[in-house]
Amino acid sequence: NAGVTQTPKFRILKIGQSMTLQCTQDMNHNYMYWYRQDPGMGLKLIYYSVGAGITDKGEVPNGYNVSRSTTEDFPLRLELAAPSQTSVYFCASSFMRNEQFFGPGTRLTVL
Amino acid sequence: GQQVMQIPQYQHVQEGEDFTTYCNSSTTLSNIQWYKQRPGGHPVFLIQLVKSGEVKKQKRLTFQFGEAKKNSSLHITATQTTDVGTYFCAFPGGGSQGNLIFGKGTKLSVKP
């Protein structure tokens, strides 16, 4: 099993550009999550999903959108990139509320 | 809402010294999880505690869940340079929410 995979690993965006961060898990987990982690800080939940077709806002959802059309995939969309969205983005999955498995992260810089 | 305080924020130790990080909640927790994040890496699950007063050990790591299920600790005996990283506690969000709430973490540095 590959676990949780994220693409891309790194990305530089210009202000106002859009992009989609991809996340795929092959563990048949029903729960999936998106976090952002600013330098030296903890994890902030952006959005999460408890199953295909169901998504919910986390602590910091503004400026982001998600969809969950399949169990495996949970893409995160940034519509109008802003410098405040410079961060490391982690996707994670779990079976119910059990241990979360994290992907390797996407390091995003917005200039 | 639910809040958890994790202390200390930073800890610098000499290799071989012990280390402890604490998580304190304002409300009773159904369970608590601990994660470790190495520098430049992603969080990795260490353990989940569910029962009141539970104590679990993983080699040099000892995890405790308080009797009132409002606090938890992670203790590392005789730290090694491989223990370097940030340790987070996490607990379920309230009600029917599916999320975990993470503490701010304790960053451990170990001087050889």
Side-chain angles (χ1 to χ4, degrees):
Chain A
N1 287 352
V4 180
T5 56
Q6 291 183 239
T7 56
K9 285 190 171 64
F10 304 92
R11 184 73 185 266
I12 298 175
L13 282 181
K14 293 182 180 178
I15 294 171
Q17 285 186 320
S18 302
M19 77 165 293
T20 298
L21 283 67
Q22 301 291 346
C23 175
T24 300
Q25 54 94 7
D26 63 359
M27 296 172 282
N28 202 32
H29 286 164
N30 50 351
Y31 286 28
M32 294 188 76
Y33 314 82
W34 274 106
Y35 297 91
R36 60 174 287 173
Q37 186 176 40
D38 298 332
M41 304 295 284
L43 297 162
K44 292 185 178 179
L45 183 66
I46 305 171
Y47 272 96
Y48 68 100
S49 168
V50 299
I54 305 169
T55 61
D56 246 318
K57 294 179 180 179
E59 182 185 358
V60 289
N62 291 346
Y64 307 94
N65 278 301
V66 293
S67 59
R68 182 98 183 268
S69 56
T70 67
T71 300
E72 295 79 19
D73 301 304
F74 191 39
L76 177 71
R77 177 91 180 152
L78 281 71
E79 287 296 347
L80 292 169
S84 60
Q85 293 178 305
T86 294
S87 191
V88 179
Y89 291 83
F90 290 105
C91 178
S93 74
S94 66
F95 176 68
M96 304 301 284
R97 290 190 182 187
N98 294 322
E99 65 174 287
Q100 292 192 10
F101 293 81
F102 284 78
T106 294
R107 282 152 179 78
L108 175 67
T109 302
V110 182
L111 300 174
Chain B
Q2 287 182 293
Q3 293 184 12
V4 66
M5 179 173 290
Q6 191 171 353
I7 55 171
Q9 191 175 359
Y10 302 96
Q11 186 78 57
H12 309 283
V13 300
Q14 191 78 34
E15 189 172 21
E17 291 181 338
D18 291 357
F19 158 76
T20 305
T21 173
Y22 301 89
C23 266
N24 299 306
S25 170
S26 57
T27 59
T28 301
L29 306 174
S30 58
N31 64 71
I32 194 161
Q33 298 179 10
W34 285 93
Y35 290 78
K36 176 185 178 181
Q37 184 177 23
R38 288 200 161 97
H42 59 275
V44 174
F45 174 82
L46 294 175
I47 209 158
Q48 176 169 283
L49 304 172
V50 179
K51 299 177 184 176
S52 168
E54 190 169 14
V55 178
K56 286 188 176 180
K57 292 192 175 184
Q58 291 178 351
K59 296 182 181 178
R60 293 178 295 104
L61 277 61
T62 302
F63 303 84
Q64 290 189 319
F65 202 10
E67 292 290 342
K69 300 181 76 173
K70 287 187 174 184
N71 53 71
S72 180
S73 65
L74 158 58
H75 179 82
I76 302 178
T77 304
T79 55
Q80 300 175 358
T81 54
T82 53
D83 295 325
V84 164
T86 302
Y87 294 84
F88 295 96
C89 62
F91 60 94
S96 60
Q97 297 176 35
N99 60 310
L100 282 181
I101 298 174
F102 280 80
K104 293 189 186 299
T106 295
K107 186 173 182 179
L108 172 65
S109 62
V110 179
K111 189 174 180 182

